[in-house]
Amino acid sequence: MDTRGGMRDEDFRFFRSLIHKETGIWLGDQKRSMLASRLSRRLRELRLDDLHAYRVWLETADAGGSELVHAINRVTTNKTDFFREPEHFIVLKDWVAGRGSATRLWCAASSTGEEPYSLAMTLAEVFGMQAPWSILATDIDTEVLAAAAAGIYGEDRLRTLPAGMKPRYFLRGRGKYSGQACVRPEVRRHVEFRRVNLVGEQWPVGERFDAVFCRNVLIYFDRETQQRVVERLLGRLVPDGLLFLGHSESLHWMAHQVETVAHTVYRKRVGQWGGGQ
Ligand SMILES: C[S@@+](CC[C@H](N)C(=O)[O-])C[C@H]1O[C@@H](n2cnc3c(N)ncnc32)[C@H](O)[C@@H]1O
């Protein structure tokens, strides 16, 4: 029996295919030890002996799928920052300022909230806090969504904010919250958090969006899944809407469907022919 990387071959194949089916995330052979170590943390909470026992649990005792949600939470990679890949926020700011209207954005892999709050601060700079702009922030991971909705961050997390934004958009913690900062409620009320699986059949996200940020998540998907997700995202945009992807997620291979507006910022190509008469 081969137990390389802390897991039997057959168990690795089971978890890999379960994660792929449920999340779109493809774990290559080199991710075996990482997968074992992330899932092992859950074993301790469930007092199970090994990953084989966890597999049996998932196969036989998880009819409602609630344990699957925990397993997915363990496997996702949630690295993010305020104003990560900052050029995108300049593009967004100029674009929304040029259009001049209230804006509805979707942040489709929002992790612990730094990205949707960066979008909120960007819109607040253009439209002010009273205008009716809104941001839907979604992720598959229920733990990061809960942290994001709380909007509390260690002061060290705020080091990537542009100058002057900290006092405008955050409250400093005192007492037991000393060393932390909380997103101001006036900002938070524009941001709604919801669990949405990008490879799920339904996307309960409502009306079309002016722009979608779906950054640094497609890299975890195989090419077929990337294409399906991108096509569905384009379908959720208003006709001149923008799709922002992560800096390493170029769509040069979909150039027939999208035109490039800025680095990894895309707009759906409009056909040269109109509809029928
Ligand atoms: C590396 S983080 C990127 C966060 C942020 N977009 C950024 O660029 O800083 C990737 C996020 O994608 C989420 N994710 C992974 N698979 C997903 C799926 N199938 N549906 C929705 N979110 C997913 C993870 O939970 C994680 O929070």
Side-chain angles (χ1 to χ4, degrees), residues 22-25 72-73 75-82 84-85 107-112 114-116 138-142 144 196-200 203 213-221 229 246 249:
E22 298 295 332
T23 70
I25 298 170
I72 292 170
N73 287 353
V75 171
T76 55
T77 298
N78 307 116
K79 182 191 156 24
T80 188
D81 271 315
F82 284 103
R84 180 180 189 183
E85 298 170 354
C107 179
S110 55
S111 190
T112 37
E114 287 85 339
E115 184 173 46
T138 65
D139 202 284
I140 197 172
D141 182 330
T142 55
V144 292
V196 174
N197 181 354
L198 285 169
V199 302
W203 283 356
F213 273 60
C214 183
R215 304 190 310 161
N216 303 301
V217 60
L218 294 180
I219 34 163
Y220 300 103
F221 299 164
V229 170
E249 296 170 322

mmCIF file of all heavy atoms in Angstrom, residues 22-25 72-73 75-82 84-85 107-112 114-116 138-142 144 196-200 203 213-221 229 246 249, ligand 1:
data_model
loop_
_atom_site.group_PDB
_atom_site.id
_atom_site.type_symbol
_atom_site.label_atom_id
_atom_site.label_comp_id
_atom_site.label_asym_id
_atom_site.label_seq_id
_atom_site.Cartn_x
_atom_site.Cartn_y
_atom_site.Cartn_z
ATOM 1 N N GLU A 22 -16.570 19.134 -7.123
ATOM 2 C CA GLU A 22 -17.336 20.085 -6.314
ATOM 3 C C GLU A 22 -16.890 21.536 -6.474
ATOM 4 O O GLU A 22 -17.675 22.452 -6.249
ATOM 5 C CB GLU A 22 -17.251 19.709 -4.823
ATOM 6 C CG GLU A 22 -17.840 18.346 -4.490
ATOM 7 C CD GLU A 22 -19.355 18.276 -4.730
ATOM 8 O OE1 GLU A 22 -20.022 19.307 -4.628
ATOM 9 O OE2 GLU A 22 -19.838 17.163 -5.027
ATOM 10 N N THR A 23 -15.597 21.750 -6.802
ATOM 11 C CA THR A 23 -15.091 23.136 -6.794
ATOM 12 C C THR A 23 -14.442 23.568 -8.103
ATOM 13 O O THR A 23 -14.191 24.764 -8.286
ATOM 14 C CB THR A 23 -14.001 23.320 -5.708
ATOM 15 O OG1 THR A 23 -12.831 22.600 -6.125
ATOM 16 C CG2 THR A 23 -14.442 22.826 -4.357
ATOM 17 N N GLY A 24 -14.098 22.621 -8.968
ATOM 18 C CA GLY A 24 -13.347 22.964 -10.185
ATOM 19 C C GLY A 24 -11.846 22.995 -9.935
ATOM 20 O O GLY A 24 -11.060 23.071 -10.871
ATOM 21 N N ILE A 25 -11.424 22.944 -8.666
ATOM 22 C CA ILE A 25 -9.990 23.030 -8.350
ATOM 23 C C ILE A 25 -9.314 21.711 -8.728
ATOM 24 O O ILE A 25 -9.750 20.639 -8.295
ATOM 25 C CB ILE A 25 -9.774 23.314 -6.843
ATOM 26 C CG1 ILE A 25 -10.394 24.668 -6.467
ATOM 27 C CG2 ILE A 25 -8.297 23.251 -6.475
ATOM 28 C CD1 ILE A 25 -10.443 24.940 -4.967
ATOM 29 N N ILE A 72 -14.126 21.385 1.810
ATOM 30 C CA ILE A 72 -13.817 22.405 0.798
ATOM 31 C C ILE A 72 -13.134 23.614 1.459
ATOM 32 O O ILE A 72 -12.138 24.136 0.959
ATOM 33 C CB ILE A 72 -15.096 22.822 0.035
ATOM 34 C CG1 ILE A 72 -15.586 21.662 -0.832
ATOM 35 C CG2 ILE A 72 -14.868 24.066 -0.812
ATOM 36 C CD1 ILE A 72 -16.959 21.862 -1.455
ATOM 37 N N ASN A 73 -13.667 24.030 2.603
ATOM 38 C CA ASN A 73 -13.061 25.163 3.319
ATOM 39 C C ASN A 73 -11.580 24.910 3.609
ATOM 40 O O ASN A 73 -10.766 25.826 3.582
ATOM 41 C CB ASN A 73 -13.769 25.409 4.654
ATOM 42 C CG ASN A 73 -15.151 26.035 4.481
ATOM 43 O OD1 ASN A 73 -15.536 26.410 3.379
ATOM 44 N ND2 ASN A 73 -15.890 26.135 5.574
ATOM 45 N N VAL A 75 -9.522 23.082 1.845
ATOM 46 C CA VAL A 75 -8.690 22.912 0.656
ATOM 47 C C VAL A 75 -8.440 24.223 -0.099
ATOM 48 O O VAL A 75 -7.420 24.377 -0.778
ATOM 49 C CB VAL A 75 -9.339 21.857 -0.279
ATOM 50 C CG1 VAL A 75 -8.647 21.794 -1.615
ATOM 51 C CG2 VAL A 75 -9.310 20.495 0.397
ATOM 52 N N THR A 76 -9.340 25.189 0.006
ATOM 53 C CA THR A 76 -9.170 26.425 -0.775
ATOM 54 C C THR A 76 -7.937 27.203 -0.327
ATOM 55 O O THR A 76 -7.547 27.156 0.840
ATOM 56 C CB THR A 76 -10.398 27.346 -0.626
ATOM 57 O OG1 THR A 76 -10.604 27.571 0.768
ATOM 58 C CG2 THR A 76 -11.637 26.739 -1.241
ATOM 59 N N THR A 77 -7.367 27.921 -1.265
ATOM 60 C CA THR A 77 -6.245 28.832 -0.974
ATOM 61 C C THR A 77 -6.823 30.234 -0.987
ATOM 62 O O THR A 77 -7.439 30.637 -1.974
ATOM 63 C CB THR A 77 -5.159 28.689 -2.067
ATOM 64 O OG1 THR A 77 -4.689 27.342 -2.020
ATOM 65 C CG2 THR A 77 -4.011 29.646 -1.850
ATOM 66 N N ASN A 78 -6.641 30.979 0.097
ATOM 67 C CA ASN A 78 -7.382 32.241 0.260
ATOM 68 C C ASN A 78 -6.493 33.485 0.240
ATOM 69 O O ASN A 78 -6.911 34.549 0.677
ATOM 70 C CB ASN A 78 -8.174 32.202 1.586
ATOM 71 C CG ASN A 78 -9.041 30.963 1.710
ATOM 72 O OD1 ASN A 78 -8.833 30.134 2.583
ATOM 73 N ND2 ASN A 78 -10.012 30.824 0.829
ATOM 74 N N LYS A 79 -5.286 33.357 -0.262
ATOM 75 C CA LYS A 79 -4.363 34.498 -0.225
ATOM 76 C C LYS A 79 -4.982 35.723 -0.926
ATOM 77 O O LYS A 79 -5.493 35.626 -2.043
ATOM 78 C CB LYS A 79 -3.056 34.118 -0.930
ATOM 79 C CG LYS A 79 -2.038 35.237 -0.883
ATOM 80 C CD LYS A 79 -0.867 34.963 -1.796
ATOM 81 C CE LYS A 79 -0.135 36.210 -2.254
ATOM 82 N NZ LYS A 79 -0.232 37.405 -1.448
ATOM 83 N N THR A 80 -4.909 36.853 -0.280
ATOM 84 C CA THR A 80 -5.439 38.087 -0.859
ATOM 85 C C THR A 80 -4.819 39.277 -0.143
ATOM 86 O O THR A 80 -4.083 39.108 0.830
ATOM 87 C CB THR A 80 -6.985 38.116 -0.752
ATOM 88 O OG1 THR A 80 -7.488 39.231 -1.482
ATOM 89 C CG2 THR A 80 -7.478 38.183 0.688
ATOM 90 N N ASP A 81 -5.111 40.472 -0.620
ATOM 91 C CA ASP A 81 -4.615 41.708 -0.002
ATOM 92 C C ASP A 81 -5.545 42.847 -0.378
ATOM 93 O O ASP A 81 -6.212 42.774 -1.414
ATOM 94 C CB ASP A 81 -3.231 42.077 -0.579
ATOM 95 C CG ASP A 81 -2.099 41.443 0.198
ATOM 96 O OD1 ASP A 81 -2.143 41.487 1.437
ATOM 97 O OD2 ASP A 81 -1.181 40.908 -0.449
ATOM 98 N N PHE A 82 -5.537 43.912 0.411
ATOM 99 C CA PHE A 82 -6.215 45.131 -0.018
ATOM 100 C C PHE A 82 -5.474 45.668 -1.238
ATOM 101 O O PHE A 82 -4.245 45.677 -1.280
ATOM 102 C CB PHE A 82 -6.206 46.185 1.091
ATOM 103 C CG PHE A 82 -7.191 45.891 2.178
ATOM 104 C CD1 PHE A 82 -6.769 45.368 3.403
ATOM 105 C CD2 PHE A 82 -8.547 46.121 1.990
ATOM 106 C CE1 PHE A 82 -7.682 45.082 4.412
ATOM 107 C CE2 PHE A 82 -9.468 45.843 2.995
ATOM 108 C CZ PHE A 82 -9.036 45.321 4.208
ATOM 109 N N ARG A 84 -4.797 44.504 -4.069
ATOM 110 C CA ARG A 84 -3.871 43.589 -4.743
ATOM 111 C C ARG A 84 -3.932 43.881 -6.250
ATOM 112 O O ARG A 84 -5.005 44.114 -6.789
ATOM 113 C CB ARG A 84 -4.341 42.161 -4.470
ATOM 114 C CG ARG A 84 -3.498 41.104 -5.102
ATOM 115 C CD ARG A 84 -4.076 39.741 -4.754
ATOM 116 N NE ARG A 84 -3.185 38.684 -5.153
ATOM 117 C CZ ARG A 84 -3.483 37.395 -5.010
ATOM 118 N NH1 ARG A 84 -4.632 37.027 -4.477
ATOM 119 N NH2 ARG A 84 -2.631 36.468 -5.383
ATOM 120 N N GLU A 85 -2.820 43.818 -6.921
ATOM 121 C CA GLU A 85 -2.742 44.149 -8.350
ATOM 122 C C GLU A 85 -3.392 45.527 -8.570
ATOM 123 O O GLU A 85 -4.463 45.665 -9.179
ATOM 124 C CB GLU A 85 -3.387 43.041 -9.190
ATOM 125 C CG GLU A 85 -2.629 41.713 -8.991
ATOM 126 C CD GLU A 85 -3.283 40.473 -9.568
ATOM 127 O OE1 GLU A 85 -4.417 40.542 -10.056
ATOM 128 O OE2 GLU A 85 -2.651 39.408 -9.516
ATOM 129 N N CYS A 107 -17.818 40.683 -7.047
ATOM 130 C CA CYS A 107 -16.486 40.177 -6.711
ATOM 131 C C CYS A 107 -16.657 38.678 -6.476
ATOM 132 O O CYS A 107 -17.202 38.258 -5.450
ATOM 133 C CB CYS A 107 -15.983 40.899 -5.456
ATOM 134 S SG CYS A 107 -14.370 40.343 -4.933
ATOM 135 N N ALA A 108 -16.220 37.859 -7.455
ATOM 136 C CA ALA A 108 -16.678 36.469 -7.522
ATOM 137 C C ALA A 108 -15.784 35.450 -6.812
ATOM 138 O O ALA A 108 -16.062 34.260 -6.875
ATOM 139 C CB ALA A 108 -16.849 36.079 -8.987
ATOM 140 N N ALA A 109 -14.719 35.898 -6.175
ATOM 141 C CA ALA A 109 -13.909 34.991 -5.333
ATOM 142 C C ALA A 109 -13.310 35.883 -4.259
ATOM 143 O O ALA A 109 -12.137 36.217 -4.266
ATOM 144 C CB ALA A 109 -12.827 34.298 -6.146
ATOM 145 N N SER A 110 -14.165 36.292 -3.331
ATOM 146 C CA SER A 110 -13.872 37.462 -2.485
ATOM 147 C C SER A 110 -12.989 37.146 -1.291
ATOM 148 O O SER A 110 -12.567 38.050 -0.578
ATOM 149 C CB SER A 110 -15.184 38.086 -2.011
ATOM 150 O OG SER A 110 -15.985 37.127 -1.360
ATOM 151 N N SER A 111 -12.750 35.863 -1.027
ATOM 152 C CA SER A 111 -11.872 35.452 0.077
ATOM 153 C C SER A 111 -12.253 36.190 1.372
ATOM 154 O O SER A 111 -13.436 36.327 1.676
ATOM 155 C CB SER A 111 -10.401 35.657 -0.309
ATOM 156 O OG SER A 111 -9.573 35.056 0.657
ATOM 157 N N THR A 112 -11.277 36.686 2.110
ATOM 158 C CA THR A 112 -11.559 37.289 3.418
ATOM 159 C C THR A 112 -12.018 38.751 3.336
ATOM 160 O O THR A 112 -12.081 39.436 4.362
ATOM 161 C CB THR A 112 -10.313 37.168 4.322
ATOM 162 O OG1 THR A 112 -9.135 37.361 3.517
ATOM 163 C CG2 THR A 112 -10.212 35.804 4.961
ATOM 164 N N GLU A 114 -10.821 41.535 1.578
ATOM 165 C CA GLU A 114 -9.967 42.671 1.216
ATOM 166 C C GLU A 114 -10.307 43.200 -0.184
ATOM 167 O O GLU A 114 -10.280 44.413 -0.420
ATOM 168 C CB GLU A 114 -8.488 42.264 1.272
ATOM 169 C CG GLU A 114 -7.941 42.079 2.683
ATOM 170 C CD GLU A 114 -8.189 40.686 3.268
ATOM 171 O OE1 GLU A 114 -9.114 39.972 2.791
ATOM 172 O OE2 GLU A 114 -7.488 40.320 4.225
ATOM 173 N N GLU A 115 -10.606 42.289 -1.105
ATOM 174 C CA GLU A 115 -10.883 42.729 -2.489
ATOM 175 C C GLU A 115 -12.227 43.471 -2.598
ATOM 176 O O GLU A 115 -12.267 44.587 -3.128
ATOM 177 C CB GLU A 115 -10.836 41.523 -3.432
ATOM 178 C CG GLU A 115 -11.017 41.907 -4.877
ATOM 179 C CD GLU A 115 -10.798 40.720 -5.805
ATOM 180 O OE1 GLU A 115 -11.329 39.622 -5.525
ATOM 181 O OE2 GLU A 115 -10.112 40.874 -6.807
ATOM 182 N N PRO A 116 -13.337 42.906 -2.117
ATOM 183 C CA PRO A 116 -14.586 43.673 -2.236
ATOM 184 C C PRO A 116 -14.552 44.999 -1.478
ATOM 185 O O PRO A 116 -15.127 45.986 -1.954
ATOM 186 C CB PRO A 116 -15.653 42.730 -1.667
ATOM 187 C CG PRO A 116 -14.913 41.666 -0.937
ATOM 188 C CD PRO A 116 -13.581 41.549 -1.598
ATOM 189 N N THR A 138 -18.801 37.123 -3.350
ATOM 190 C CA THR A 138 -19.127 35.707 -3.182
ATOM 191 C C THR A 138 -17.866 34.854 -3.138
ATOM 192 O O THR A 138 -16.809 35.239 -3.655
ATOM 193 C CB THR A 138 -20.020 35.202 -4.342
ATOM 194 O OG1 THR A 138 -19.276 35.276 -5.552
ATOM 195 C CG2 THR A 138 -21.295 36.016 -4.464
ATOM 196 N N ASP A 139 -17.991 33.717 -2.526
ATOM 197 C CA ASP A 139 -16.891 32.753 -2.460
ATOM 198 C C ASP A 139 -17.512 31.395 -2.167
ATOM 199 O O ASP A 139 -18.675 31.318 -1.722
ATOM 200 C CB ASP A 139 -15.907 33.144 -1.342
ATOM 201 C CG ASP A 139 -14.521 32.540 -1.539
ATOM 202 O OD1 ASP A 139 -14.367 31.321 -1.283
ATOM 203 O OD2 ASP A 139 -13.596 33.266 -1.958
ATOM 204 N N ILE A 140 -16.751 30.345 -2.377
ATOM 205 C CA ILE A 140 -17.255 29.005 -2.047
ATOM 206 C C ILE A 140 -16.998 28.663 -0.572
ATOM 207 O O ILE A 140 -17.653 27.804 0.001
ATOM 208 C CB ILE A 140 -16.568 27.950 -2.957
ATOM 209 C CG1 ILE A 140 -17.350 26.643 -2.950
ATOM 210 C CG2 ILE A 140 -15.114 27.714 -2.573
ATOM 211 C CD1 ILE A 140 -16.854 25.614 -3.949
ATOM 212 N N ASP A 141 -16.039 29.353 0.038
ATOM 213 C CA ASP A 141 -15.545 29.004 1.373
ATOM 214 C C ASP A 141 -16.346 29.771 2.435
ATOM 215 O O ASP A 141 -16.290 31.003 2.503
ATOM 216 C CB ASP A 141 -14.047 29.373 1.410
ATOM 217 C CG ASP A 141 -13.366 29.035 2.717
ATOM 218 O OD1 ASP A 141 -14.038 29.046 3.763
ATOM 219 O OD2 ASP A 141 -12.143 28.805 2.686
ATOM 220 N N THR A 142 -17.098 29.042 3.251
ATOM 221 C CA THR A 142 -17.984 29.702 4.221
ATOM 222 C C THR A 142 -17.195 30.400 5.340
ATOM 223 O O THR A 142 -17.670 31.379 5.911
ATOM 224 C CB THR A 142 -18.951 28.685 4.854
ATOM 225 O OG1 THR A 142 -18.185 27.613 5.421
ATOM 226 C CG2 THR A 142 -19.921 28.133 3.840
ATOM 227 N N VAL A 144 -14.163 31.985 5.092
ATOM 228 C CA VAL A 144 -13.659 33.301 4.668
ATOM 229 C C VAL A 144 -14.813 34.285 4.505
ATOM 230 O O VAL A 144 -14.664 35.482 4.783
ATOM 231 C CB VAL A 144 -12.784 33.243 3.391
ATOM 232 C CG1 VAL A 144 -11.482 32.521 3.647
ATOM 233 C CG2 VAL A 144 -13.505 32.678 2.198
ATOM 234 N N VAL A 196 -21.409 31.434 -3.275
ATOM 235 C CA VAL A 196 -21.699 31.033 -4.655
ATOM 236 C C VAL A 196 -20.511 30.209 -5.158
ATOM 237 O O VAL A 196 -19.355 30.632 -5.043
ATOM 238 C CB VAL A 196 -21.911 32.260 -5.583
ATOM 239 C CG1 VAL A 196 -22.069 31.818 -7.035
ATOM 240 C CG2 VAL A 196 -23.130 33.070 -5.157
ATOM 241 N N ASN A 197 -20.829 29.035 -5.690
ATOM 242 C CA ASN A 197 -19.810 28.157 -6.257
ATOM 243 C C ASN A 197 -19.700 28.449 -7.756
ATOM 244 O O ASN A 197 -20.684 28.295 -8.488
ATOM 245 C CB ASN A 197 -20.236 26.704 -6.021
ATOM 246 C CG ASN A 197 -19.220 25.720 -6.552
ATOM 247 O OD1 ASN A 197 -18.243 26.093 -7.201
ATOM 248 N ND2 ASN A 197 -19.457 24.447 -6.265
ATOM 249 N N LEU A 198 -18.537 28.850 -8.197
ATOM 250 C CA LEU A 198 -18.373 29.223 -9.608
ATOM 251 C C LEU A 198 -18.595 28.046 -10.554
ATOM 252 O O LEU A 198 -18.864 28.249 -11.730
ATOM 253 C CB LEU A 198 -16.982 29.826 -9.842
ATOM 254 C CG LEU A 198 -16.819 31.248 -9.314
ATOM 255 C CD1 LEU A 198 -15.347 31.662 -9.331
ATOM 256 C CD2 LEU A 198 -17.645 32.242 -10.115
ATOM 257 N N VAL A 199 -18.470 26.813 -10.061
ATOM 258 C CA VAL A 199 -18.765 25.670 -10.934
ATOM 259 C C VAL A 199 -20.123 25.055 -10.607
ATOM 260 O O VAL A 199 -20.473 24.011 -11.136
ATOM 261 C CB VAL A 199 -17.649 24.591 -10.905
ATOM 262 C CG1 VAL A 199 -16.317 25.185 -11.328
ATOM 263 C CG2 VAL A 199 -17.540 23.927 -9.554
ATOM 264 N N GLY A 200 -20.882 25.712 -9.749
ATOM 265 C CA GLY A 200 -22.223 25.222 -9.415
ATOM 266 C C GLY A 200 -23.191 25.496 -10.560
ATOM 267 O O GLY A 200 -22.966 26.393 -11.377
ATOM 268 N N TRP A 203 -26.215 30.192 -10.200
ATOM 269 C CA TRP A 203 -25.508 31.343 -9.615
ATOM 270 C C TRP A 203 -26.582 32.315 -9.106
ATOM 271 O O TRP A 203 -27.112 33.114 -9.909
ATOM 272 C CB TRP A 203 -24.653 32.046 -10.666
ATOM 273 C CG TRP A 203 -23.369 31.353 -11.008
ATOM 274 C CD1 TRP A 203 -22.844 30.220 -10.450
ATOM 275 C CD2 TRP A 203 -22.425 31.780 -12.002
ATOM 276 N NE1 TRP A 203 -21.641 29.917 -11.023
ATOM 277 C CE2 TRP A 203 -21.356 30.850 -11.992
ATOM 278 C CE3 TRP A 203 -22.373 32.844 -12.905
ATOM 279 C CZ2 TRP A 203 -20.258 30.963 -12.839
ATOM 280 C CZ3 TRP A 203 -21.282 32.954 -13.738
ATOM 281 C CH2 TRP A 203 -20.231 32.028 -13.707
ATOM 282 N N PHE A 213 -15.174 41.212 -10.967
ATOM 283 C CA PHE A 213 -13.805 40.878 -10.592
ATOM 284 C C PHE A 213 -13.782 39.392 -10.250
ATOM 285 O O PHE A 213 -14.480 38.963 -9.322
ATOM 286 C CB PHE A 213 -13.362 41.691 -9.359
ATOM 287 C CG PHE A 213 -12.784 43.033 -9.696
ATOM 288 C CD1 PHE A 213 -13.536 43.983 -10.373
ATOM 289 C CD2 PHE A 213 -11.485 43.361 -9.331
ATOM 290 C CE1 PHE A 213 -13.003 45.222 -10.697
ATOM 291 C CE2 PHE A 213 -10.939 44.593 -9.647
ATOM 292 C CZ PHE A 213 -11.693 45.530 -10.325
ATOM 293 N N CYS A 214 -13.022 38.618 -11.000
ATOM 294 C CA CYS A 214 -12.898 37.188 -10.710
ATOM 295 C C CYS A 214 -11.401 36.883 -10.789
ATOM 296 O O CYS A 214 -10.909 36.346 -11.768
ATOM 297 C CB CYS A 214 -13.696 36.367 -11.720
ATOM 298 S SG CYS A 214 -13.634 34.607 -11.355
ATOM 299 N N ARG A 215 -10.689 37.283 -9.756
ATOM 300 C CA ARG A 215 -9.233 37.301 -9.855
ATOM 301 C C ARG A 215 -8.577 36.215 -9.001
ATOM 302 O O ARG A 215 -8.967 35.960 -7.871
ATOM 303 C CB ARG A 215 -8.720 38.677 -9.435
ATOM 304 C CG ARG A 215 -9.366 39.808 -10.267
ATOM 305 C CD ARG A 215 -8.708 41.146 -10.034
ATOM 306 N NE ARG A 215 -8.566 41.468 -8.636
ATOM 307 C CZ ARG A 215 -7.721 42.379 -8.167
ATOM 308 N NH1 ARG A 215 -6.942 43.050 -9.000
ATOM 309 N NH2 ARG A 215 -7.664 42.632 -6.876
ATOM 310 N N ASN A 216 -7.579 35.581 -9.605
ATOM 311 C CA ASN A 216 -6.744 34.611 -8.892
ATOM 312 C C ASN A 216 -7.515 33.411 -8.366
ATOM 313 O O ASN A 216 -7.223 32.887 -7.295
ATOM 314 C CB ASN A 216 -5.967 35.317 -7.766
ATOM 315 C CG ASN A 216 -5.129 36.446 -8.327
ATOM 316 O OD1 ASN A 216 -4.281 36.221 -9.183
ATOM 317 N ND2 ASN A 216 -5.401 37.679 -7.917
ATOM 318 N N VAL A 217 -8.500 32.984 -9.127
ATOM 319 C CA VAL A 217 -9.190 31.729 -8.816
ATOM 320 C C VAL A 217 -9.180 30.811 -10.034
ATOM 321 O O VAL A 217 -9.034 29.600 -9.892
ATOM 322 C CB VAL A 217 -10.625 31.980 -8.279
ATOM 323 C CG1 VAL A 217 -11.495 32.720 -9.263
ATOM 324 C CG2 VAL A 217 -11.287 30.662 -7.897
ATOM 325 N N LEU A 218 -9.249 31.394 -11.250
ATOM 326 C CA LEU A 218 -9.244 30.550 -12.456
ATOM 327 C C LEU A 218 -7.969 29.717 -12.542
ATOM 328 O O LEU A 218 -7.976 28.626 -13.101
ATOM 329 C CB LEU A 218 -9.374 31.409 -13.727
ATOM 330 C CG LEU A 218 -10.692 32.168 -13.922
ATOM 331 C CD1 LEU A 218 -10.642 32.963 -15.226
ATOM 332 C CD2 LEU A 218 -11.890 31.228 -13.930
ATOM 333 N N ILE A 219 -6.863 30.223 -11.982
ATOM 334 C CA ILE A 219 -5.597 29.478 -12.037
ATOM 335 C C ILE A 219 -5.706 28.096 -11.393
ATOM 336 O O ILE A 219 -4.910 27.222 -11.684
ATOM 337 C CB ILE A 219 -4.423 30.206 -11.318
ATOM 338 C CG1 ILE A 219 -4.920 30.984 -10.118
ATOM 339 C CG2 ILE A 219 -3.586 31.017 -12.270
ATOM 340 C CD1 ILE A 219 -3.801 31.365 -9.177
ATOM 341 N N TYR A 220 -6.677 27.919 -10.519
ATOM 342 C CA TYR A 220 -6.817 26.610 -9.861
ATOM 343 C C TYR A 220 -7.657 25.643 -10.697
ATOM 344 O O TYR A 220 -7.797 24.481 -10.339
ATOM 345 C CB TYR A 220 -7.451 26.773 -8.470
ATOM 346 C CG TYR A 220 -6.620 27.652 -7.565
ATOM 347 C CD1 TYR A 220 -6.986 28.968 -7.311
ATOM 348 C CD2 TYR A 220 -5.447 27.172 -7.000
ATOM 349 C CE1 TYR A 220 -6.210 29.789 -6.510
ATOM 350 C CE2 TYR A 220 -4.656 27.980 -6.205
ATOM 351 C CZ TYR A 220 -5.051 29.290 -5.964
ATOM 352 O OH TYR A 220 -4.265 30.087 -5.178
ATOM 353 N N PHE A 221 -8.289 26.143 -11.753
ATOM 354 C CA PHE A 221 -9.187 25.316 -12.569
ATOM 355 C C PHE A 221 -8.464 24.794 -13.807
ATOM 356 O O PHE A 221 -7.534 25.428 -14.307
ATOM 357 C CB PHE A 221 -10.397 26.143 -13.047
ATOM 358 C CG PHE A 221 -11.262 26.715 -11.949
ATOM 359 C CD1 PHE A 221 -12.170 27.727 -12.234
ATOM 360 C CD2 PHE A 221 -11.199 26.245 -10.638
ATOM 361 C CE1 PHE A 221 -12.996 28.267 -11.239
ATOM 362 C CE2 PHE A 221 -12.013 26.773 -9.640
ATOM 363 C CZ PHE A 221 -12.915 27.791 -9.940
ATOM 364 N N VAL A 229 -16.473 28.890 -17.090
ATOM 365 C CA VAL A 229 -16.724 29.937 -16.086
ATOM 366 C C VAL A 229 -16.643 31.322 -16.741
ATOM 367 O O VAL A 229 -17.513 32.165 -16.525
ATOM 368 C CB VAL A 229 -15.731 29.810 -14.896
ATOM 369 C CG1 VAL A 229 -15.819 31.016 -13.972
ATOM 370 C CG2 VAL A 229 -16.006 28.524 -14.118
ATOM 371 N N GLY A 246 -7.162 37.852 -12.668
ATOM 372 C CA GLY A 246 -5.863 38.046 -12.026
ATOM 373 C C GLY A 246 -4.765 38.275 -13.067
ATOM 374 O O GLY A 246 -4.911 37.897 -14.233
ATOM 375 N N GLU A 249 -3.794 35.490 -15.353
ATOM 376 C CA GLU A 249 -4.914 34.729 -15.921
ATOM 377 C C GLU A 249 -5.357 35.290 -17.285
ATOM 378 O O GLU A 249 -6.553 35.435 -17.548
ATOM 379 C CB GLU A 249 -6.087 34.734 -14.935
ATOM 380 C CG GLU A 249 -5.729 34.019 -13.637
ATOM 381 C CD GLU A 249 -6.761 34.211 -12.531
ATOM 382 O OE1 GLU A 249 -7.328 35.312 -12.404
ATOM 383 O OE2 GLU A 249 -6.977 33.261 -11.775
HETATM 384 C C1 LIG B 1 -6.395 33.076 -3.961
HETATM 385 S S1 LIG B 1 -7.989 33.601 -3.462
HETATM 386 C C2 LIG B 1 -8.167 35.063 -4.427
HETATM 387 C C3 LIG B 1 -8.885 36.163 -3.665
HETATM 388 C C4 LIG B 1 -9.049 37.466 -4.409
HETATM 389 N N1 LIG B 1 -9.916 37.301 -5.569
HETATM 390 C C5 LIG B 1 -7.735 38.068 -4.800
HETATM 391 O O1 LIG B 1 -7.388 38.052 -5.989
HETATM 392 O O2 LIG B 1 -7.009 38.557 -3.926
HETATM 393 C C6 LIG B 1 -9.048 32.420 -4.309
HETATM 394 C C7 LIG B 1 -10.450 32.343 -3.733
HETATM 395 O O3 LIG B 1 -11.261 31.599 -4.635
HETATM 396 C C8 LIG B 1 -12.174 30.825 -3.880
HETATM 397 N N2 LIG B 1 -12.680 29.706 -4.702
HETATM 398 C C9 LIG B 1 -12.040 28.571 -5.066
HETATM 399 N N3 LIG B 1 -12.841 27.789 -5.805
HETATM 400 C C10 LIG B 1 -14.022 28.452 -5.917
HETATM 401 C C11 LIG B 1 -15.261 28.148 -6.554
HETATM 402 N N4 LIG B 1 -15.453 27.001 -7.239
HETATM 403 N N5 LIG B 1 -16.276 29.041 -6.458
HETATM 404 C C12 LIG B 1 -16.101 30.205 -5.775
HETATM 405 N N6 LIG B 1 -14.957 30.533 -5.139
HETATM 406 C C13 LIG B 1 -13.919 29.670 -5.214
HETATM 407 C C14 LIG B 1 -11.358 30.378 -2.670
HETATM 408 O O4 LIG B 1 -12.176 29.996 -1.592
HETATM 409 C C15 LIG B 1 -10.512 31.625 -2.389
HETATM 410 O O5 LIG B 1 -11.087 32.440 -1.406
#
